[in-house]
Amino acid sequence: MKTLLPVAMSDIHVHLEPRHVEELFGRGHALTKWRYLTIPGQFACRETVEVVGPSGRVPGAVVVGPARRQTQVEISLGNGLVLGIDPPLRESGRLQGTPGATLVGSAGSVVLESGVIAAARHIHMHPRDAREYGVADGQRVRVRVPGARGLVFEQVVVRVSEEYALEMHVDVEEGRAAGVVDFQLVELLG
Amino acid sequence: MKTLLPVAMSDIHVHLEPRHVEELFGRGHALTKWRYLTIPGQFACRETVEVVGPSGRVPGAVVVGPARRQTQVEISLGNGLVLGIDPPLRESGRLQGTPGATLVGSAGSVVLESGVIAAARHIHMHPRDAREYGVADGQRVRVRVPGARGLVFEQVVVRVSEEYALEMHVDVEEGRAAGVVDFQLVELLG
């Protein structure tokens, strides 16, 4: 059974629904690809937004394309302290009952009623990977990061899809806490 | 054998040697106690400094009193990215070969040749605690934080002194990564 897999850190970013792309960047605007992510078909855009909350603002949140069905803002707990928003820990796409925020783009702004989360740490796997690592979609596993700041993450959600490539994702605070270098190998402990 | 102990997060802060207190806050200035810390005799001061590095500034770094033999600046990796300083992971007081920074106070500034570190996570213990928890000064142990962001910190340094009270210290990124609430109980795994 395989155990080693790469890890990457996600800084504050947003996924946008089509009408929000237009409201933030102008009528008929199409997102501009900056670089592909490890998730096939997903890309970081040149467009960024400022996220605004009750107590502060965080500029430079990268837009991740392509547009999605529902706008989602992924922040760290540290971002939350600046914004005055306490983000619930959620899996991507599970937005019911989440707090909102205001997004400011180059051509306008959008007031979200909900959509702000702290993303639960997770591993993306293709079904072939899931077989090779002996885990199943939705399973929670432990993952060890070696090194001077070594630690074992618990409560890591396995997410399996034909559309995923093998990679663990943590936020920047989780990554720094563990001394993670993007794309280093970590160990799935099961 | 006991296993449970409290944990607290340390945000960016500085310890100052006496001449730096005067250079930053004025001739004859005495530090103003704001609140006592769990470490007996140590206190957070009302005084703060701005830490300045090659690429940016972080305001509001709390001064921790009383004055010490050698000035030390404890920052997170995130602070380091703002400042343009890559802080080495060190135990408090081990400053040889560390990078410097500029500190700006209300009455002046100080250019440090060295003294900037990321503090290695650690547990302060009185010798009586060390006996009750079955560990020794300098030992490295694992500590489990329970919860939705639960994890096991490895490489936690045990520091035993007659001057210490029982408490684990992590930086803000480590704390947020684990969903720590200050003074919650964590489990020493040995």
Side-chain angles (χ1 to χ4, degrees):
Chain A
M1 209 66 88
K2 289 190 179 180
T3 59
L4 297 180
L5 67 153
V7 63
M9 284 183 272
S10 301
D11 207 342
I12 184 171
H13 66 277
V14 302
H15 302 274
L16 297 175
E17 51 195 82
R19 72 186 169 101
H20 289 160
V21 174
E22 295 206 335
E23 286 173 36
L24 290 165
F25 301 108
R27 191 102 179 260
H29 183 88
L31 293 172
T32 318
K33 183 165 55 214
W34 172 47
R35 63 180 181 84
Y36 276 111
L37 301 176
T38 305
I39 310 160
Q42 300 262 308
F43 50 89
C45 300
R46 293 201 181 279
E47 289 85 354
T48 64
V49 297
E50 185 171 48
V51 182
V52 183
S55 69
R57 327 167 66 91
V58 178
V62 166
V63 177
V64 172
R68 283 195 181 188
R69 197 179 54 79
Q70 198 172 7
T71 291
Q72 175 171 307
V73 183
E74 298 184 35
I75 70 173
S76 70
L77 274 61
N79 297 144
L81 285 174
V82 173
L83 296 170
I85 297 171
D86 187 15
L89 195 64
R90 292 288 178 91
E91 290 181 51
S92 183
R94 305 209 172 166
L95 304 182
Q96 198 165 15
T98 57
T102 298
L103 304 183
V104 181
S106 57
S109 64
V110 167
V111 178
L112 302 174
E113 291 300 315
S114 64
V116 179
I117 65 171
R121 50 208 184 211
H122 57 275
I123 304 172
H124 281 172
M125 287 188 173
H126 189 275
R128 189 179 50 240
D129 300 316
R131 284 192 296 276
E132 291 179 353
Y133 288 77
V135 294
D137 186 51
Q139 189 176 338
R140 295 201 169 223
V141 298
R142 293 175 306 133
V143 175
R144 182 165 186 274
V145 183
R149 276 199 149 182
L151 56 74
V152 176
F153 286 116
E154 302 182 341
Q155 308 284 356
V156 181
V157 183
V158 174
R159 300 183 60 206
V160 180
S161 163
E162 297 276 351
E163 298 182 356
Y164 289 153
L166 182 67
E167 194 166 69
M168 177 173 179
H169 294 145
V170 296
D171 78 10
V172 285
E173 290 169 338
E174 293 172 320
R176 291 174 194 150
V180 159
V181 176
D182 273 338
F183 313 122
Q184 81 167 82
L185 294 179
V186 295
E187 183 185 5
L188 195 157
L189 300 179
Chain B
M1 209 65 85
K2 289 191 179 179
T3 59
L4 297 181
L5 67 151
V7 64
M9 284 183 272
S10 302
D11 208 341
I12 184 171
H13 65 277
V14 302
H15 303 275
L16 297 175
E17 53 195 80
R19 71 187 169 103
H20 288 161
V21 173
E22 295 206 335
E23 287 172 37
L24 291 165
F25 301 108
R27 190 98 180 261
H29 183 88
L31 292 172
T32 319
K33 184 166 51 216
W34 171 48
R35 63 180 180 84
Y36 276 111
L37 302 176
T38 305
I39 309 161
Q42 301 262 307
F43 50 89
C45 300
R46 293 202 181 279
E47 290 84 355
T48 64
V49 297
E50 184 171 50
V51 182
V52 184
S55 69
R57 327 166 69 90
V58 178
V62 166
V63 177
V64 172
R68 282 196 180 186
R69 197 179 54 80
Q70 198 173 7
T71 290
Q72 175 171 307
V73 183
E74 298 184 35
I75 70 172
S76 69
L77 274 60
N79 298 145
L81 285 174
V82 172
L83 297 169
I85 297 171
D86 186 18
L89 194 65
R90 290 289 177 90
E91 291 181 51
S92 183
R94 304 208 172 167
L95 303 182
Q96 199 166 14
T98 57
T102 297
L103 304 183
V104 181
S106 57
S109 65
V110 167
V111 177
L112 302 174
E113 292 299 315
S114 64
V116 179
I117 65 170
R121 51 208 183 209
H122 57 275
I123 304 172
H124 281 172
M125 287 188 172
H126 190 274
R128 190 178 49 240
D129 299 317
R131 284 192 297 276
E132 290 179 354
Y133 287 76
V135 294
D137 186 50
Q139 188 176 339
R140 296 204 168 220
V141 297
R142 292 173 306 132
V143 174
R144 180 165 188 273
V145 183
R149 275 200 151 182
L151 56 75
V152 177
F153 286 116
E154 301 181 341
Q155 308 286 355
V156 181
V157 184
V158 173
R159 301 183 59 204
V160 180
S161 164
E162 298 277 351
E163 298 182 357
Y164 289 155
L166 181 67
E167 193 167 71
M168 178 173 179
H169 294 146
V170 297
D171 78 10
V172 285
E173 290 169 336
E174 292 172 320
R176 291 174 193 151
V180 159
V181 176
D182 273 339
F183 313 123
Q184 82 168 81
L185 295 179
V186 296
E187 183 186 5
L188 196 157
L189 301 179

